[in-house]
């Protein structure tokens, strides 16, 4: 037995499992398990990435000034209050490392994103899971769970894997009600899918206790590149920059993300296609007896009669080369999370679920 042991909490972390991407013995699979943009990044983004290939002998920018300026211009935010990370995951981890430690509590919702718990445990803090109300963030339950040890409160709005969201009034009530020593983190990974939604940015402005995180991994189609960002009060940005790796983002990542954020026409196109295909998919699945809550994201949380039916449907979909996401690890065993793909993928998955449900009836 080795006497070399990690910090407390670390061995309590169940390693994160990403969405599957292949099925044994099946070629031509459709991956609908990681909420990726089926259309990929915009042409301008890929071009900027290519050009950056000629600069690989140079170290990247440490202050990310050009990317922060571009994000600030598009979202009408002060670039000095923006920080960029290796995916929003890095920002979430930095927040945990900076603000929570042994004896501190980190709140996340019942079906909240796995990284909140992992980040809290990695920092030696105690994750506190708060129930939702019918798969929707419950502000009263969160406020009731707050103690003087609460240092961070994470909500994703809209949430993954439920797809639901709460309104600006509710988010403000949460920001107003948490302890003075706690920071509210609004994870806006899916914010761009909600037409006209600012992800909570206006709440961050002018307060000292709210942070918003965003990502290039979803609507921008850059999950493979690893770029996210946060918008936070100046005191938080200062703290995070002290622990952030100086060269956390590579030159190609910075260049491609800058081109991506400047190409809002692509974002608009992807949002409207997603909205149309999501509505179509939800309606067809409901016609096959598979209900879902109204989703504000690029996925649908499809509800089956029970865990057995969900698991059997998942196996059937796999046999058809369709990879969706079982969410039993999120305590949702009777559901499958299905990313809204392109039109052909939506038709394929809808058809297969129809066959499965017809066969099961
Ligand atoms: C996908 C996702 C993210 C994005 O993570 P990245 O590290 O930016 O790829 C963050 N939060 C939630 C809830 C997500 O679903």
């Amino acid at each position: 037995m080795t006497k070399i042991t990690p910090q407390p909490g670390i061995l309590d972390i169940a390693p994160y499992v990403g969405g599957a991407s292949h099925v044994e013995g099946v070629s031509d699979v459709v991956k609908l398990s990681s909420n990726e943009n089926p259309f990929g990044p915009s042409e301008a983004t890929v071009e900027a990435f290519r050009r950056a290939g000629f600069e690989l002998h140079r170290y990247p920018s440490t202050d990310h000034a050009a990317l922060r300026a571009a994000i600030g211009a598009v979202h009408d935010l002060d670039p000095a209050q923006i920080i960029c990370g290796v995916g929003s995951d890095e920002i979430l981890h930095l927040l945990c490392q900076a603000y929570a430690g042994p004896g501190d509590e980190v709140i996340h919702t019942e079906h909240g994103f796995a990284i909140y718990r992992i980040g809290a445990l990695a920092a030696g803090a105690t994750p506190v899971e708060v129930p939702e109300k019918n798969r929707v963030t419950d502000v009263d339950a969160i406020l009731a769970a707050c103690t003087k040890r609460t240092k961070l409160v994470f909500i994703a709005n809209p949430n993954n894997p439920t797809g639901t969201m709460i309104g600006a009034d509710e988010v403000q009530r949460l920001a107003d009600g948490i302890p003075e020593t706690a920071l509210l983190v609004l994870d806006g990974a899916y914010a761009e899918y909600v037409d006209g939604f600012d992800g909570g940015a206006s709440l961050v402005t002018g307060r000292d206790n709210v942070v918003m995180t965003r990502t290039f991994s979803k609507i921008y189609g850059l999950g493979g590149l690893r770029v996210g960002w946060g918008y936070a009060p100046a005191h938080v940005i200062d703290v995070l920059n002290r622990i952030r790796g100086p060269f956390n983002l590579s030159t190609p990542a910075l260049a491609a993300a800058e081109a991506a954020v400047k190409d809002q026409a692509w974002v608009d196109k992807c949002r409207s296609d997603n909205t149309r295909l999501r509505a179509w998919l939800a309606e067809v699945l409901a016609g096959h007896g598979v209900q879902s809550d109204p989703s504000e994201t690029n996925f649908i949380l499809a509800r089956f009669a029970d865990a057995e039916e969900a698991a059997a449907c998942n196996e059937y979909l796999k046999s058809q080369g369709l990879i969706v996401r079982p969410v039993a690890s999120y305590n949702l065993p009777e559901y499958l999370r299905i990313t809204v793909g392109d039109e052909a993928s939506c038709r394929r998955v809808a058809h297969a679920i129809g066959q499965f449900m017809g066969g099961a009836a």
Side-chain angles (χ1 to χ4, degrees), residues 192-210:
E192 292 85 357
Y193 287 105
V194 185
D195 205 8
F197 180 48
D198 74 351
S202 60
L203 193 67
V204 176
T205 307
R207 301 184 68 105
D208 74 347
N209 71 337
V210 183

Side-chain angles (χ1 to χ4, degrees), residues 224-235:
L225 196 63
R226 312 307 303 131
V227 188
W229 55 282
Y231 173 60
H235 72 97

Side-chain angles (χ1 to χ4, degrees), residues 130-144:
V130 174
E132 294 164 7
K133 205 188 239 165
N134 298 321
R135 296 169 303 283
V136 180
T137 298
D138 183 346
V139 169
D140 290 312
I142 294 175
L143 292 177

Side-chain angles (χ1 to χ4, degrees), residues 34-35 86-90 92 113 116 156 158-160 187 189-190 213-218 223 226-228 299 337:
S34 295
N35 300 340
V86 181
S88 46
D89 279 7
E90 185 184 27
L92 301 170
F113 191 44
Y116 312 145
N159 189 37
N160 170 23
D187 179 342
Y190 300 95
T213 61
R214 301 285 283 264
T215 186
F216 283 92
S217 300
K218 303 287 157 59
R226 312 307 303 131
V227 188
F299 58 85
R337 193 191 69 189

